[in-house]
Amino acid sequence: MAYPDDLLVEGEEVVIHRHPHWKMLVLPVLAFLVTIGLAVYAAALIRNLSWAGYGWIGLAVVATVIIVWLTVTPLVRWRTTHFVLTTHRVLVREGVLSRQGLDIPVSRINSVQFRHTIVERLLGCGTLVIESASDEPLEFDDVPGVEKVYAMLYNEVADSDVSD
């Protein structure tokens, strides 16, 4: 899904648009599977009891609350988090009901670094560190294809320095 063009300034183009790495969804999927498994097991245990109908309704309500809390919420959070590199800036947008964003003009970036552990290398993600005119470097975790993003961002910074 492309980043909305109406949020870009004139002459600005999206170079790369990423959501956090899919590894953030492993625990929510496991929580979903465990919740369903436990709910089915509990439903089988109470099926012959006189109050089984009420028990199944209670199980369904509890399982739904747990699934929404541990699976749907992280999935929506993942889907609504954007890391966007354009020809003019780096944008980070997060949130569903309350949104927060960060824009770093490419011309203000002093240095770009990346790091990843052996597991992150195998998964193809890592941490991108951007030092700008601000006091502390900004770290963006779980960036998929971090080396490619790093190279593209470095090229944009170099192009910005040449055009200045």
Side-chain angles (χ1 to χ4, degrees):
M1 182 167 139
Y3 196 73
D5 289 336
D6 60 338
L7 299 178
L8 304 176
V9 297
E10 187 175 325
E12 185 177 24
E13 295 178 22
V14 172
V15 176
I16 198 162
H17 174 213
R18 298 273 199 261
H19 294 285
H21 194 266
W22 57 263
K23 77 176 188 175
M24 291 181 65
L25 300 176
V26 170
L27 289 177
V29 168
L30 287 175
F32 175 79
L33 295 174
V34 167
T35 301
I36 295 298
L38 290 175
V40 168
Y41 178 73
L45 287 177
I46 64 170
R47 73 174 182 258
N48 292 329
L49 299 175
S50 61
W51 49 270
Y54 297 114
W56 287 345
I57 291 171
L59 279 173
V61 168
V62 169
T64 301
V65 167
I66 291 172
I67 287 171
V68 166
W69 178 41
L70 296 178
T71 302
V72 175
T73 302
L75 177 64
V76 171
R77 187 177 304 122
W78 173 84
R79 188 70 179 117
T80 59
T81 300
H82 302 271
F83 180 86
V84 182
L85 170 61
T86 72
T87 53
H88 292 73
R89 57 193 167 150
V90 175
L91 300 98
V92 178
R93 298 289 185 266
E94 299 176 308
V96 180
L97 299 177
S98 65
R99 300 272 297 159
Q100 59 183 353
L102 172 70
D103 291 8
I104 306 169
V106 171
S107 61
R108 302 273 183 181
I109 295 175
N110 296 332
S111 70
V112 183
Q113 304 172 25
F114 73 91
R115 65 176 178 266
H116 45 193
T117 64
I118 187 77
V119 173
E120 289 174 329
R121 287 183 73 186
L122 292 171
L123 294 174
C125 65
T127 300
L128 187 69
V129 181
I130 299 174
E131 290 186 35
S132 64
S134 67
D135 294 335
E136 295 183 22
L138 300 168
E139 294 189 9
F140 303 101
D141 297 323
D142 299 322
V143 176
V146 71
E147 289 186 62
K148 182 179 179 185
V149 173
Y150 162 81
M152 295 178 100
L153 181 54
Y154 184 81
N155 285 338
E156 290 300 322
V157 169
D159 289 347
S160 170
D161 289 342
V162 171
S163 65
D164 284 345

